Amino acid sequence: MKGLLIKDFYCLKKQLINYGFIIVGVIVISIMFVLSYNFGNIHAGFTQIIESGRYPETVVVQIASGAMLLFMLIPIACTADLSNLFTDDEGASFYKVAAAFPVSISKRVACRFIAGYLFIAIGVAVDLIMTVILSSLTNIISFGKFCGAIVTFASLMLIYISMFILLAYFLGNGKITYANVIPLLIGAAIYVSANFDNLKDFITGVNDRALSELYDQATEFIFHRSYILLIAAILVSGGTYFAAVHIAARKRGVA
């Protein structure tokens, strides 16, 4: 299994290099944003908006905290693309020799999941470093809320990657794009179903506070109910693993 994991990370080598540059950029930009929010042009602009009466201070804080959440999401979101694990193996016809290895199908599938988990763990580690730095520079979001956001985003990526791997085995070679898109469509459908009334009010203009209510509900869930998503992610991950093993055992020509 160790050799397969090393092989998988070689497949992700280019992504890891690009990921490194992205992370450095995100950390620098987020620190600059916080410093500007506290002392610079962003602080002056927000102060002018509040004093002019265009928006209350609560809205300005929401905008700033939304930007902070975006910074926290990027390091973990960038770990979601594991398509190279399958496309590189397909290009090299790795499946022709995989069956000859003294490694069971369940362990070969487990390597895919473990590679995804390790990739997510890298994103979590980066976010924790950002949390320590940013929480010491601003009171927009507390350290506890930062940690809640990390758990939420990591759980979302865990669900996405687990579903992607399952679909990659189910759909087979040459259909990795569909495996990438389908989990996003499922997630969007679930979100729309759960917030249909508020979304309808926002689109039709019936409720002027519909967008604010959507934001409040989302941040409440992200900061304080991340454990629900974590439990769901663990269940989905376990279920998709066993389903992927079953599919791989029934199919020929899988890595």
Short mmCIF file of all heavy atoms in Angstrom, two decimals, residues 22-64:
data_model
loop_
_atom_site.label_atom_id
_atom_site.label_comp_id
_atom_site.label_asym_id
_atom_site.label_seq_id
_atom_site.Cartn_x
_atom_site.Cartn_y
_atom_site.Cartn_z
N ILE A 22 -0.34 28.64 -4.62
CA ILE A 22 -1.66 29.18 -4.26
C ILE A 22 -1.72 29.48 -2.76
O ILE A 22 -2.22 30.53 -2.34
CB ILE A 22 -2.77 28.19 -4.65
CG1 ILE A 22 -2.88 28.09 -6.18
CG2 ILE A 22 -4.12 28.61 -4.05
CD1 ILE A 22 -3.80 26.98 -6.66
N ILE A 23 -1.21 28.56 -1.96
CA ILE A 23 -1.27 28.73 -0.50
C ILE A 23 -0.48 29.95 -0.06
O ILE A 23 -0.95 30.74 0.78
CB ILE A 23 -0.74 27.47 0.21
CG1 ILE A 23 -1.68 26.30 -0.06
CG2 ILE A 23 -0.60 27.70 1.70
CD1 ILE A 23 -3.12 26.56 0.24
N VAL A 24 0.72 30.11 -0.60
CA VAL A 24 1.52 31.28 -0.25
C VAL A 24 0.77 32.56 -0.61
O VAL A 24 0.72 33.51 0.18
CB VAL A 24 2.89 31.23 -0.96
CG1 VAL A 24 3.64 32.54 -0.76
CG2 VAL A 24 3.72 30.07 -0.45
N GLY A 25 0.17 32.58 -1.80
CA GLY A 25 -0.58 33.76 -2.23
C GLY A 25 -1.78 34.04 -1.33
O GLY A 25 -2.03 35.19 -0.96
N VAL A 26 -2.52 32.98 -0.95
CA VAL A 26 -3.70 33.15 -0.10
C VAL A 26 -3.31 33.69 1.27
O VAL A 26 -3.96 34.60 1.81
CB VAL A 26 -4.46 31.82 0.05
CG1 VAL A 26 -5.52 31.92 1.14
CG2 VAL A 26 -5.12 31.44 -1.27
N ILE A 27 -2.24 33.15 1.86
CA ILE A 27 -1.80 33.60 3.18
C ILE A 27 -1.39 35.07 3.14
O ILE A 27 -1.78 35.87 4.00
CB ILE A 27 -0.64 32.73 3.70
CG1 ILE A 27 -1.14 31.31 3.99
CG2 ILE A 27 -0.03 33.33 4.96
CD1 ILE A 27 -0.04 30.35 4.41
N VAL A 28 -0.63 35.44 2.11
CA VAL A 28 -0.17 36.84 1.98
C VAL A 28 -1.36 37.77 1.80
O VAL A 28 -1.47 38.81 2.47
CB VAL A 28 0.83 36.98 0.82
CG1 VAL A 28 1.13 38.45 0.55
CG2 VAL A 28 2.11 36.22 1.12
N ILE A 29 -2.26 37.41 0.89
CA ILE A 29 -3.41 38.28 0.61
C ILE A 29 -4.32 38.40 1.82
O ILE A 29 -4.83 39.49 2.13
CB ILE A 29 -4.20 37.74 -0.61
CG1 ILE A 29 -3.37 37.89 -1.88
CG2 ILE A 29 -5.53 38.50 -0.77
CD1 ILE A 29 -3.99 37.24 -3.10
N SER A 30 -4.55 37.29 2.54
CA SER A 30 -5.42 37.34 3.71
C SER A 30 -4.83 38.22 4.81
O SER A 30 -5.55 38.99 5.46
CB SER A 30 -5.68 35.93 4.25
OG SER A 30 -4.47 35.29 4.64
N ILE A 31 -3.51 38.14 5.01
CA ILE A 31 -2.87 39.00 6.01
C ILE A 31 -2.97 40.46 5.59
O ILE A 31 -3.26 41.35 6.42
CB ILE A 31 -1.40 38.58 6.21
CG1 ILE A 31 -1.33 37.20 6.88
CG2 ILE A 31 -0.66 39.61 7.08
CD1 ILE A 31 0.07 36.65 7.00
N MET A 32 -2.74 40.73 4.30
CA MET A 32 -2.85 42.10 3.80
C MET A 32 -4.28 42.62 3.97
O MET A 32 -4.48 43.80 4.32
CB MET A 32 -2.42 42.16 2.33
CG MET A 32 -0.94 41.93 2.09
SD MET A 32 -0.52 41.86 0.32
CE MET A 32 -1.01 43.50 -0.20
N PHE A 33 -5.28 41.75 3.73
CA PHE A 33 -6.67 42.16 3.88
C PHE A 33 -6.97 42.54 5.32
O PHE A 33 -7.60 43.57 5.59
CB PHE A 33 -7.60 41.03 3.43
CG PHE A 33 -9.06 41.29 3.70
CD1 PHE A 33 -9.81 42.04 2.82
CD2 PHE A 33 -9.67 40.81 4.85
CE1 PHE A 33 -11.15 42.30 3.06
CE2 PHE A 33 -11.00 41.06 5.11
CZ PHE A 33 -11.75 41.81 4.21
N VAL A 34 -6.51 41.71 6.26
CA VAL A 34 -6.77 41.98 7.67
C VAL A 34 -6.10 43.27 8.12
O VAL A 34 -6.69 44.10 8.82
CB VAL A 34 -6.30 40.80 8.55
CG1 VAL A 34 -6.34 41.16 10.03
CG2 VAL A 34 -7.16 39.58 8.28
N LEU A 35 -4.85 43.46 7.71
CA LEU A 35 -4.13 44.69 8.09
C LEU A 35 -4.81 45.92 7.49
O LEU A 35 -4.94 46.95 8.15
CB LEU A 35 -2.68 44.60 7.63
CG LEU A 35 -1.82 43.55 8.35
CD1 LEU A 35 -0.41 43.51 7.74
CD2 LEU A 35 -1.73 43.85 9.85
N SER A 36 -5.27 45.80 6.23
CA SER A 36 -5.96 46.92 5.60
C SER A 36 -7.31 47.17 6.26
O SER A 36 -7.74 48.32 6.39
CB SER A 36 -6.15 46.64 4.10
OG SER A 36 -6.76 47.73 3.46
N TYR A 37 -7.97 46.08 6.69
CA TYR A 37 -9.26 46.23 7.39
C TYR A 37 -9.07 46.94 8.72
O TYR A 37 -9.92 47.73 9.14
CB TYR A 37 -9.89 44.86 7.61
CG TYR A 37 -11.18 44.90 8.40
CD1 TYR A 37 -12.39 45.20 7.79
CD2 TYR A 37 -11.18 44.67 9.77
CE1 TYR A 37 -13.57 45.25 8.51
CE2 TYR A 37 -12.35 44.72 10.51
CZ TYR A 37 -13.55 45.01 9.88
OH TYR A 37 -14.71 45.06 10.61
N ASN A 38 -7.95 46.68 9.37
CA ASN A 38 -7.70 47.29 10.69
C ASN A 38 -7.16 48.71 10.58
O ASN A 38 -7.54 49.58 11.37
CB ASN A 38 -6.71 46.44 11.49
CG ASN A 38 -7.33 45.13 11.96
OD1 ASN A 38 -8.55 45.02 12.09
ND2 ASN A 38 -6.50 44.14 12.21
N PHE A 39 -6.29 48.95 9.58
CA PHE A 39 -5.56 50.23 9.57
C PHE A 39 -5.54 50.95 8.22
O PHE A 39 -5.22 52.14 8.17
CB PHE A 39 -4.09 50.01 9.99
CG PHE A 39 -3.94 49.18 11.23
CD1 PHE A 39 -3.47 47.88 11.16
CD2 PHE A 39 -4.27 49.69 12.49
CE1 PHE A 39 -3.31 47.11 12.29
CE2 PHE A 39 -4.12 48.92 13.63
CZ PHE A 39 -3.64 47.63 13.54
N GLY A 40 -5.85 50.26 7.11
CA GLY A 40 -5.60 50.83 5.79
C GLY A 40 -6.81 51.31 5.03
O GLY A 40 -7.80 51.78 5.60
N ASN A 41 -6.75 51.13 3.71
CA ASN A 41 -7.78 51.65 2.82
C ASN A 41 -9.14 50.98 3.04
O ASN A 41 -10.18 51.64 2.92
CB ASN A 41 -7.35 51.47 1.36
CG ASN A 41 -6.16 52.33 1.00
OD1 ASN A 41 -5.95 53.38 1.60
ND2 ASN A 41 -5.37 51.90 0.03
N ILE A 42 -9.13 49.69 3.30
CA ILE A 42 -10.40 49.00 3.54
C ILE A 42 -11.07 49.55 4.80
O ILE A 42 -12.29 49.77 4.83
CB ILE A 42 -10.17 47.48 3.66
CG1 ILE A 42 -9.67 46.92 2.33
CG2 ILE A 42 -11.46 46.77 4.09
CD1 ILE A 42 -9.37 45.44 2.35
N HIS A 43 -10.27 49.80 5.83
CA HIS A 43 -10.80 50.39 7.07
C HIS A 43 -11.41 51.77 6.78
O HIS A 43 -12.53 52.06 7.24
CB HIS A 43 -9.69 50.52 8.11
CG HIS A 43 -10.11 51.24 9.35
ND1 HIS A 43 -10.87 50.65 10.33
CD2 HIS A 43 -9.90 52.53 9.76
CE1 HIS A 43 -11.10 51.52 11.30
NE2 HIS A 43 -10.52 52.67 10.98
N ALA A 44 -10.70 52.58 5.99
CA ALA A 44 -11.21 53.92 5.67
C ALA A 44 -12.49 53.83 4.85
O ALA A 44 -13.45 54.59 5.08
CB ALA A 44 -10.14 54.70 4.91
N GLY A 45 -12.52 52.91 3.88
CA GLY A 45 -13.71 52.77 3.05
C GLY A 45 -14.92 52.29 3.83
O GLY A 45 -16.02 52.83 3.67
N PHE A 46 -14.72 51.28 4.70
CA PHE A 46 -15.82 50.78 5.50
C PHE A 46 -16.31 51.85 6.49
O PHE A 46 -17.51 51.98 6.74
CB PHE A 46 -15.40 49.52 6.25
CG PHE A 46 -15.42 48.28 5.40
CD1 PHE A 46 -14.78 47.12 5.81
CD2 PHE A 46 -16.09 48.26 4.19
CE1 PHE A 46 -14.80 45.97 5.04
CE2 PHE A 46 -16.11 47.12 3.39
CZ PHE A 46 -15.46 45.97 3.82
N THR A 47 -15.38 52.61 7.07
CA THR A 47 -15.76 53.67 8.00
C THR A 47 -16.61 54.72 7.30
O THR A 47 -17.62 55.20 7.84
CB THR A 47 -14.51 54.34 8.60
OG1 THR A 47 -13.73 53.35 9.29
CG2 THR A 47 -14.89 55.45 9.56
N GLN A 48 -16.22 55.07 6.07
CA GLN A 48 -16.99 56.04 5.30
C GLN A 48 -18.39 55.52 4.98
O GLN A 48 -19.37 56.28 5.04
CB GLN A 48 -16.25 56.37 4.00
CG GLN A 48 -16.89 57.48 3.18
CD GLN A 48 -16.08 57.82 1.94
OE1 GLN A 48 -15.06 57.21 1.67
NE2 GLN A 48 -16.55 58.79 1.19
N ILE A 49 -18.49 54.24 4.66
CA ILE A 49 -19.80 53.65 4.36
C ILE A 49 -20.71 53.69 5.58
O ILE A 49 -21.88 54.03 5.49
CB ILE A 49 -19.62 52.19 3.87
CG1 ILE A 49 -18.97 52.17 2.49
CG2 ILE A 49 -20.97 51.46 3.84
CD1 ILE A 49 -18.61 50.78 1.99
N ILE A 50 -20.14 53.36 6.76
CA ILE A 50 -20.93 53.36 7.99
C ILE A 50 -21.38 54.78 8.35
O ILE A 50 -22.54 55.01 8.69
CB ILE A 50 -20.12 52.74 9.15
CG1 ILE A 50 -19.85 51.26 8.87
CG2 ILE A 50 -20.86 52.91 10.48
CD1 ILE A 50 -18.88 50.62 9.85
N GLU A 51 -20.45 55.74 8.25
CA GLU A 51 -20.77 57.12 8.62
C GLU A 51 -21.77 57.75 7.66
O GLU A 51 -22.57 58.62 8.05
CB GLU A 51 -19.48 57.95 8.65
CG GLU A 51 -18.55 57.57 9.81
CD GLU A 51 -17.26 58.36 9.77
OE1 GLU A 51 -17.01 59.03 8.74
OE2 GLU A 51 -16.50 58.30 10.76
N SER A 52 -21.76 57.30 6.40
CA SER A 52 -22.71 57.85 5.43
C SER A 52 -24.11 57.30 5.62
O SER A 52 -25.07 57.84 5.07
CB SER A 52 -22.23 57.55 4.00
OG SER A 52 -22.28 56.15 3.75
N GLY A 53 -24.22 56.23 6.40
CA GLY A 53 -25.52 55.63 6.66
C GLY A 53 -26.02 54.71 5.57
O GLY A 53 -27.17 54.25 5.62
N ARG A 54 -25.18 54.41 4.59
CA ARG A 54 -25.60 53.53 3.50
C ARG A 54 -25.83 52.11 4.02
O ARG A 54 -26.79 51.45 3.62
CB ARG A 54 -24.54 53.52 2.40
CG ARG A 54 -24.43 54.84 1.64
CD ARG A 54 -23.22 54.83 0.73
NE ARG A 54 -23.25 53.72 -0.20
CZ ARG A 54 -22.21 53.38 -0.96
NH1 ARG A 54 -21.06 54.06 -0.86
NH2 ARG A 54 -22.31 52.38 -1.79
N TYR A 55 -24.94 51.63 4.89
CA TYR A 55 -25.08 50.30 5.47
C TYR A 55 -24.70 50.38 6.94
O TYR A 55 -23.79 51.12 7.31
CB TYR A 55 -24.18 49.28 4.76
CG TYR A 55 -24.54 49.04 3.32
CD1 TYR A 55 -23.78 49.61 2.29
CD2 TYR A 55 -25.63 48.25 2.97
CE1 TYR A 55 -24.10 49.39 0.97
CE2 TYR A 55 -25.96 48.03 1.64
CZ TYR A 55 -25.19 48.61 0.64
OH TYR A 55 -25.51 48.41 -0.67
N PRO A 56 -25.38 49.61 7.80
CA PRO A 56 -25.00 49.58 9.22
C PRO A 56 -23.70 48.81 9.42
O PRO A 56 -23.23 48.09 8.53
CB PRO A 56 -26.17 48.86 9.88
CG PRO A 56 -26.76 48.01 8.80
CD PRO A 56 -26.57 48.79 7.52
N GLU A 57 -23.14 48.94 10.59
CA GLU A 57 -21.86 48.29 10.89
C GLU A 57 -21.97 46.77 10.81
O GLU A 57 -21.01 46.09 10.42
CB GLU A 57 -21.39 48.70 12.29
CG GLU A 57 -20.01 48.15 12.64
CD GLU A 57 -19.53 48.65 13.99
OE1 GLU A 57 -20.25 49.46 14.62
OE2 GLU A 57 -18.43 48.23 14.41
N THR A 58 -23.14 46.23 11.17
CA THR A 58 -23.31 44.77 11.12
C THR A 58 -23.12 44.22 9.71
O THR A 58 -22.56 43.15 9.52
CB THR A 58 -24.71 44.38 11.64
OG1 THR A 58 -25.70 45.11 10.90
CG2 THR A 58 -24.83 44.68 13.12
N VAL A 59 -23.61 44.97 8.71
CA VAL A 59 -23.46 44.54 7.32
C VAL A 59 -21.99 44.57 6.90
O VAL A 59 -21.50 43.67 6.22
CB VAL A 59 -24.31 45.41 6.38
CG1 VAL A 59 -24.03 45.07 4.92
CG2 VAL A 59 -25.78 45.26 6.69
N VAL A 60 -21.29 45.61 7.34
CA VAL A 60 -19.87 45.73 7.01
C VAL A 60 -19.09 44.58 7.62
O VAL A 60 -18.20 43.99 6.98
CB VAL A 60 -19.32 47.08 7.52
CG1 VAL A 60 -17.80 47.12 7.40
CG2 VAL A 60 -19.94 48.23 6.75
N VAL A 61 -19.41 44.21 8.86
CA VAL A 61 -18.75 43.08 9.51
C VAL A 61 -19.06 41.79 8.77
O VAL A 61 -18.20 40.92 8.62
CB VAL A 61 -19.17 42.99 10.99
CG1 VAL A 61 -18.65 41.70 11.62
CG2 VAL A 61 -18.67 44.19 11.77
N GLN A 62 -20.30 41.66 8.29
CA GLN A 62 -20.67 40.47 7.52
C GLN A 62 -19.84 40.37 6.25
O GLN A 62 -19.39 39.28 5.87
CB GLN A 62 -22.16 40.51 7.16
CG GLN A 62 -23.09 40.18 8.31
CD GLN A 62 -24.55 40.17 7.87
OE1 GLN A 62 -24.90 40.66 6.79
NE2 GLN A 62 -25.42 39.62 8.71
N ILE A 63 -19.64 41.50 5.58
CA ILE A 63 -18.83 41.50 4.35
C ILE A 63 -17.40 41.07 4.66
O ILE A 63 -16.81 40.24 3.95
CB ILE A 63 -18.84 42.89 3.70
CG1 ILE A 63 -20.25 43.24 3.22
CG2 ILE A 63 -17.86 42.94 2.53
CD1 ILE A 63 -20.40 44.67 2.74
N ALA A 64 -16.85 41.62 5.73
CA ALA A 64 -15.47 41.29 6.11
C ALA A 64 -15.34 39.82 6.52
O ALA A 64 -14.39 39.13 6.11
CB ALA A 64 -15.01 42.19 7.25
#
